[in-house]
Structures are given as structure tokens and as C-alpha cells.
Amino acid sequence: MKAFNADLHCHSTFSDGLLPPAELIRRAHANGVSLLALTDHDETGGLPQARAEAEILGLRFVNGVEISVSWLDQSVHIVGLGFDAADPALLAGLAQVRGGRDARAQRMGDALAKIGIKGVYEGALAYAGNPALVSRAHIARHLVKIGIARDVASVFDHYLVRGKPGFVEHEWASLEEALGWIHGAGGIAVIAHPGRTRVDKAGMEALFARFKDLGGEAIEVVSSTQCGAAALEFARVARRYDFLASRASDFHGPGESSVDLGRAEVLPPDLTPVWSRLV
Ligand code: AMP
Ligand code: MN
Ligand code: MN
Ligand code: MN
């Protein structure tokens, strides 16, 4: 029997992915994905199109979102899965988080203008399928296009992370708010790619403990940037806190993402997969 291939984290043009929802679903289906969640940043607008295409192809689909959260003055990402996408408090919360993005992108553009790179905000907007959802990924794509750096990853390293000229501070949702919105809409909360969070060890332990206290259910053990030893590290966290385990490509698009839909490593077999609660 073929293994159950769940991929519970990816992006469409409704946030900073390169493919529209229906195309993403067709690619997941072609890649042999059994269960997919679309998890756009702070945005659920792509879910109906994704679900409609999934129904046509007979691919199991679950509602998802990736909420930007501030934790110890860093950003952490919390994925919500299996919620009611019509829940008014969730929709209002996400609208509030999105609301800060445009001004942030303009401030990033202003910051880069100070080192002589002009027109970045307008350039990034041209890459954004959803003007309410400009992310650093759009800015990075624009900077690659105008020849500032070789690829998106090096733009981040040299321009877009704290301490670099294009970085600006920003206040996202609180952890309490994000979990309240997800749980209020009947969903399950997942700590996204903990290995990528720029918080020290004590801060991460505090995050896991607080997330558990708030009723957080799951953690991404395997993600595109979290394989091998890193996945084993977060498998231990899952066992210690009795978290369900998730598997995620965090796919943004062909040519940009190193791991395609449904192609992340498999979970260690002793963990309880989060999809045991979703199918
Ligand atoms: P934002 O939500 O605007 O802070 O942008 C975060 C997004 O930028 C992530 O979801 C990724 O798509 C992208 N990103 C963050 N760090 C990196 C990196 N080091 N290399 C490539 N893309 C990155
Ligand atoms: Mn992204
Ligand atoms: Mn993320
Ligand atoms: Mn993501």
C-alpha cells in the first residue's frame, strides 16, 4: 500500500506563493499528495478555489492558514488547520494582521531607499497577487529581478533580516490571539517550522510551554528547512510536550522552493500525525 502522503503547509498567489490555488492543487495531485492544506499567510481567500479543484480531482483538502505572531520580538508562524473558514472572529483577526502589511512594506521600501535602492515598494507590489499581502518574499523577488542579489535566499541574508538595511520592526498578532482565533473557529493549532525561528533555546522552550498551556495541539516536525537531525530534534519536542506531529513542504513555487508538494521527509513512525485528527 502506498504511504499516506499528507502535506499540511503551502502557499498560493493569495499570499507569497507563485501558483494560483487551483494550479497548486493540480500539482499536489500529480505529486501523489493524499491530503493537502493550503496555508496562506494571514489569508484564507484562496481556500474556496483550492477546495473546488480538490473536489474535482478527488484530493482530500483541509482549510489552513499561517498566522504571523510576535514572540519575544521575533516573528513566529502558527498554522491553523481544519477550521470553519466563515468564522467571523477568525476573519476579523486575520484582516487585522493583514492590515499592518502595506505600511510595513512601504517602510521597508523607505529603508532600502536610504541605501540607494529605490522603488522597492512599487516593485514588490507588482509581484504580489494580493495587494493586501505584500511579504518579504515579494520584496526579495523584486530585488533579485533588478540584480541586487543572485537569489531570494541571499537577499534575505543581506537585506531583509534584523540588522540588515531593509528590515523594519513590526508587531504581529499575539500567540494568545492566534490560538484564540484558530480554536474559536474549531481548528487545530500547529507551530510552523520551529527550526527557522530566530528565538534562542530558552525562548523556544517558553514558546512550546505557553503554546501547550493555551491548548496548542501540534508542531511541524518535518518541514522543507527542517529535515534529518533537525526533524529528530523536533520529534523529541513533540514527545516531550505530547504534541501531534505535522509534515510540511512549505512550498512557495517551482524554481524557488527546494522541496516540492508532498516531497518532505516522512515523520518518525512513533509520533501521532496531526492528520489523525483531520481525516
Ligand atoms: P513576511 O511574512 O513578510 O515576514 O515574509 C516571510 C516570508 O518570507 C516567508 O514566509 C518566506 O516565504 C520568505 N522567507 C523568509 N525567510 C526566508 C529566507 N531565508 N529565504 C527565502 N525566503 C524566506
Ligand atoms: Mn512565505
Ligand atoms: Mn512561515
Ligand atoms: Mn509558510
Side-chain angles (χ1 to χ4, degrees):
M1 201 184 86
K2 258 176 52 193
F4 190 77
N5 186 346
D7 188 342
L8 299 178
H9 183 155
C10 64
H11 297 272
S12 77
T13 45
F14 277 76
S15 64
D16 55 6
L18 296 170
L19 303 179
E23 239 177 275
L24 200 68
I25 293 290
R26 289 194 285 274
R27 189 179 183 96
H29 184 255
N31 283 2
V33 172
S34 320
L35 175 72
L36 188 85
L38 170 63
T39 56
D40 278 314
H41 297 286
D42 312 317
E43 172 67 84
T44 55
L47 297 177
Q49 291 175 26
R51 180 173 292 283
E53 188 67 17
E55 275 168 14
I56 291 169
L57 296 174
L59 174 71
R60 279 199 258 192
F61 181 76
V62 59
N63 286 341
V65 67
E66 181 175 19
I67 304 181
S68 313
V69 163
S70 290
W71 180 258
L72 304 176
D73 62 83
Q74 296 287 345
S75 67
V76 311
H77 288 172
I78 302 293
V79 161
L81 296 173
F83 49 81
D84 169 10
D87 184 82
L90 171 69
L91 291 175
L94 295 177
Q96 177 196 311
V97 180
R98 284 196 303 276
R101 277 189 178 267
D102 187 62
R104 170 186 183 246
Q106 293 190 40
R107 284 191 290 133
M108 294 175 89
D110 293 345
L112 287 164
K114 288 204 178 106
I115 60 160
I117 311 173
K118 307 223 186 293
V120 169
Y121 169 72
E122 295 74 14
L125 257 189
Y127 279 90
N130 175 0
L133 212 296
V134 183
S135 101
R136 286 181 293 162
H138 300 113
I139 292 179
R141 286 170 196 152
H142 169 72
L143 292 178
V144 170
K145 169 82 183 309
I146 63 172
I148 296 294
R150 153 175 56 88
D151 55 25
V152 161
S154 47
V155 176
F156 270 87
D157 291 347
H158 295 106
Y159 296 94
L160 300 181
V161 295
R162 179 173 279 122
K164 300 299 173 181
F167 182 84
V168 301
E169 298 292 341
H170 188 74
E171 190 67 26
W172 302 105
S174 70
L175 189 66
E176 290 78 1
E177 286 173 321
L179 268 72
W181 299 331
I182 293 167
H183 288 152
I188 292 177
V190 189
I191 298 177
H193 47 64
R196 253 183 56 192
T197 305
R198 293 167 178 259
V199 172
D200 66 13
K201 213 167 158 27
M204 286 309 287
E205 280 308 322
L207 172 69
F208 299 143
R210 182 74 184 131
F211 179 78
K212 183 79 187 176
D213 280 351
L214 291 167
E217 291 92 344
I219 183 172
E220 284 179 2
V221 168
V222 166
S223 168
S224 54
T225 47
Q226 212 173 277
C227 52
L232 292 178
E233 177 189 344
F234 295 107
R236 286 193 292 276
V237 172
R239 293 182 195 108
R240 203 145 40 84
Y241 286 89
D242 199 20
F243 288 143
L244 299 166
S246 193
R247 172 175 183 256
S249 66
D250 201 357
F251 182 73
H252 281 69
E256 187 171 299
S257 295
S258 56
V259 174
D260 208 327
L261 294 166
R263 299 280 158 81
E265 269 177 20
V266 297
L267 291 178
D270 66 300
L271 301 179
T272 307
V274 67
W275 53 90
S276 65
R277 297 269 302 273
L278 295 166
V279 294

